[in-house]
Amino acid sequence: MVIVRSIDELQEAKQALAGTIGFVPTMGALHQGHLSLIQRARKENDHLIVSIFVNPTQFLEGEDLDAYPRKDKADIKICDIAGVDILFMPSIEAMYEEDELCIGAPAIRGYVLEGEKRPGHFDGMLQVVMKLLNLSGASKAYFGKKDAQQLALIAQMVKNYFMDVSIVPCDIVRDEKGLALSSRNVYLEGDEKQRALALSRSLKKATKLVMAGEVDVETIQKEMRKVLEVTDEIEYTSIVDRAFKPLKTVEIGNTIILVAARVGKPRLLDNIWI
Ligand code: PAF
C-alpha cells in the first residue's frame, strides 16, 4: 500500500494501476462498517483506493470538526491489511483553495431531514465527494446506506453531472445489539449506549407493523416515537420513497424508514429499506 498526501502523488501512484479502480471515501476512525465497504470494493475491482479526509466544509459552525475522532495510525494498519493499493490522506490545503466554485445540494431533497437539521452540510459533502470521485478515477465508489440521504444525493449528483462512476450502496453494519456502527458512537457514555438501541428498536417495531399489514405512515411513526422516548431528543422519524419523497402509505420495495435522535452528545441516525 502506498500512502499519498498530495494530488500530484495521487496521480503518480494511480499510473501504476492497470485495470478497474474501486474507491471508498471516508473520514477515518474506521470501524467494521467502513471495513465492509473496503472488503466489498476489494473483491469487485482490480485496484482499491481509500481516502481519509475529515472534510471541514461539511461541518457546521459549532459542530464537532475539531473533536472528530482521528485514528490515523490504526486506520493505516486496517487499510494495509485489507489490501488497499492507495491510501489518500490529503491536507485541507491540498483539497481546497480560496473562493472556490461550489455545487449546492438540490433545493428540496437537500434541505429536508438531515439537510434541514444541518443546513449547508450537504453542500460541503457533495463538494468534497465530487472532488474525491474525480481524483480517484474509480469506476465504482462505495457508500453506506446508513447515511441514506447522503447516498441519494451523491447518486443524484453523479446523474445530474454525467459523472462516469457507479455508486454502490452497501448495507448497514450493526453491533451485536443492533446499534448501527458510526465513528460518532465513541461519544456514547454510561447508559447512553443502551438508550441508543432505541433507534434500531424503533425500526424493528416499524418493520414488524409493516409485516403485520400496517401501511399507514402516521400510525407507524407514532409507534416508533413511543420506542424513541428513552432518547434525549427525537429529531425526526420519516418514511420516504427511495427518491426521498414523503410517503403516506408504505410501498414495499420502495420505502426507507429513517430516524434521527440525540442520545447524550451525539446525534444518531439509522434507517431501514423496506
Ligand atoms: O460519509 C462520510 O464519511 C463523509 O460524508 C464522506 C462521504 C467521506 C465525505 O466526506
Side-chain angles (χ1 to χ4, degrees):
M1 180 175 84
V2 288
I3 300 172
V4 295
R5 297 186 190 267
S6 73
I7 310 299
D8 285 348
E9 280 173 349
L10 174 64
Q11 305 297 22
E12 201 185 314
K14 271 183 356 190
Q15 282 175 13
L17 309 182
T20 58
I21 299 175
F23 176 51
V24 181
T26 80
M27 297 208 299
L30 302 180
H31 51 65
Q32 206 56 40
H34 296 110
L35 193 57
S36 73
L37 308 185
I38 292 173
Q39 285 168 337
R40 178 158 175 199
R42 177 65 285 171
K43 266 197 213 127
E44 295 181 359
N45 301 277
D46 298 321
H47 298 289
L48 173 56
I49 302 180
V50 170
S51 65
I52 295 178
F53 179 61
V54 181
N55 172 42
T57 69
Q58 68 188 76
F59 287 78
L60 307 190
E61 197 75 30
E63 287 190 343
D64 59 343
L65 173 61
D66 294 333
Y68 195 82
R70 286 167 171 83
K71 298 185 176 167
D72 285 0
K73 228 171 152 186
D75 290 348
I76 290 170
K77 208 165 165 189
I78 291 170
C79 289
D80 197 18
I81 292 169
V84 172
D85 294 289
I86 301 176
L87 178 58
F88 180 45
M89 300 176 78
S91 62
I92 294 173
E93 295 69 35
M95 290 297 286
Y96 290 108
E97 55 187 51
E98 259 178 47
D99 194 25
E100 290 218 348
L101 182 154
C102 291
I103 61 161
I108 300 169
R109 285 203 288 172
Y111 285 88
V112 290
L113 305 172
E114 284 306 288
E116 190 181 350
K117 294 288 170 197
R118 303 178 70 193
H121 162 69
F122 284 135
D123 298 347
M125 181 282 292
L126 291 169
Q127 178 187 27
V128 80
V129 170
M130 183 184 265
K131 284 170 184 267
L132 290 168
L133 290 175
N134 287 340
L135 283 169
S136 74
S139 50
K140 286 184 184 173
Y142 296 76
F143 294 87
K145 285 181 176 174
K146 189 173 118 355
D147 294 306
Q149 196 175 3
Q150 163 172 288
L151 174 62
L153 295 180
I154 292 168
Q156 179 175 353
M157 175 179 76
V158 164
K159 185 165 174 268
N160 289 169
Y161 284 85
F162 308 109
M163 293 167 72
D164 197 11
V165 55
S166 300
I167 301 302
V168 184
C170 299
D171 287 339
I172 295 175
V173 178
R174 300 174 180 284
D175 74 8
E176 64 287 352
K177 293 198 171 140
L179 181 67
L181 298 190
S182 160
S183 302
R184 289 190 169 103
N185 289 352
V186 296
Y187 297 141
L188 294 168
E189 291 172 349
D191 77 331
E192 290 165 4
K193 206 157 182 185
Q194 188 59 30
R195 291 193 290 122
L197 297 177
L199 278 85
S200 58
R201 284 207 190 110
S202 73
L203 295 171
K204 268 194 204 140
K205 176 84 193 177
T207 312
K208 218 167 152 189
L209 287 167
V210 173
M211 294 307 165
E214 182 59 75
V215 289
D216 181 57
V217 156
E218 269 186 29
T219 310
I220 296 168
Q221 291 195 83
K222 218 164 131 189
E223 291 302 315
M224 287 175 70
R225 287 178 165 267
K226 284 187 201 161
V227 181
L228 291 162
E229 270 167 15
V230 297
T231 65
D232 292 315
E233 189 193 352
I234 306 170
E235 291 205 349
Y236 58 79
T237 59
S238 182
I239 303 186
V240 296
D241 70 10
R242 298 277 162 90
F244 269 80
K245 287 207 188 84
L247 288 171
K248 284 205 163 70
T249 54
V250 168
E251 295 169 8
I252 306 281
N254 185 34
T255 297
I256 310 176
I257 304 181
L258 304 121
V259 53
R262 201 175 47 75
V263 180
K265 197 166 145 215
R267 299 179 67 243
L268 302 173
L269 308 184
D270 204 347
N271 66 73
I272 192 155
W273 298 39
I274 290 193

